Amino acid sequence: MIQQVPVTALKPNERNPRYIRKKEFEKLKKSLKAKPHLLNLNPIKATPDGTIIAGNQRFRAALELGLKEVPVIYSEYSEEDNEYFSLLDNSHFGEWDSDILANEFEPIVLENLNIPFFFPEPPEKDEPKPLKLDNDVCELCGK
């Protein structure tokens, strides 16, 4: 259920693995200023103690714009589910903070969510392909 909550009742998630560049943040603020009611379509999601699961940048924009209240859905799910949702919700916008991803999340979780942060593998070497002979016929020349 969506509740209108004072912004002072919320706190950013220190483990938020996303950040937004200044230009994109200014666009977010501009759109929020023009149509703040549209936040109701994508409310901030938070734990019962007010820690933001999804919507850290919208929260920050609301603060900078001086909004007193924002729409919030409080999660009653486990910490693990909230963490998973946070990654899933953040997978389409902004930039990834690779330090937080590397230090706070299991690589398999990131891979399962298709988050483009993987430990690089060494490049494959072009090795000569062994010739396959079938009935003494050369694969390359057919003789």
Side-chain angles (χ1 to χ4, degrees):
M1 175 169 89
I2 299 174
Q3 301 176 35
Q4 293 298 319
V5 174
V7 291
T8 56
L10 299 171
K11 55 187 171 188
N13 187 343
E14 292 178 7
R15 295 183 66 218
N16 179 27
R18 294 288 260 185
Y19 63 92
I20 190 169
R21 295 185 187 277
K22 185 176 181 176
K23 182 178 176 181
E24 296 303 313
F25 184 66
E26 292 304 317
K27 286 181 189 177
L28 173 62
K29 284 186 0 185
K30 185 177 178 180
S31 67
L32 184 57
K33 185 176 181 179
K35 297 190 179 281
H37 60 281
L38 292 181
L39 271 175
N40 290 306
L41 293 174
N42 192 12
I44 294 169
K45 286 77 171 184
T47 61
D49 75 350
T51 301
I52 297 170
I53 299 166
N56 284 279
Q57 303 310 330
R58 285 172 280 150
F59 166 74
R60 199 173 120 220
L63 279 177
E64 286 194 19
L65 291 171
L67 299 182
K68 302 294 182 211
E69 293 184 330
V70 290
V72 174
I73 295 176
Y74 286 104
S75 170
E76 295 180 15
Y77 294 107
S78 70
E79 183 177 339
E80 180 183 350
D81 284 347
N82 289 335
E83 189 174 271
Y84 185 89
F85 181 79
S86 176
L87 290 171
L88 186 61
D89 185 70
N90 282 296
S91 63
H92 302 293
F93 303 102
E95 305 281 337
W96 292 108
D97 185 319
S98 57
D99 287 338
I100 291 175
L101 286 175
N103 294 310
E104 299 290 337
F105 299 96
E106 294 295 324
I108 189 69
V109 172
L110 301 175
E111 186 175 347
N112 287 341
L113 288 172
N114 213 12
I115 294 173
F117 179 81
F118 303 104
F119 299 99
E121 294 183 20
E124 292 183 23
K125 294 181 181 177
D126 289 333
E127 294 187 25
K129 210 173 157 183
L131 293 177
K132 179 182 171 188
L133 300 177
D134 188 10
N135 294 337
D136 295 323
V137 177
C138 175
E139 185 178 344
L140 294 176
C141 66
K143 294 184 181 180

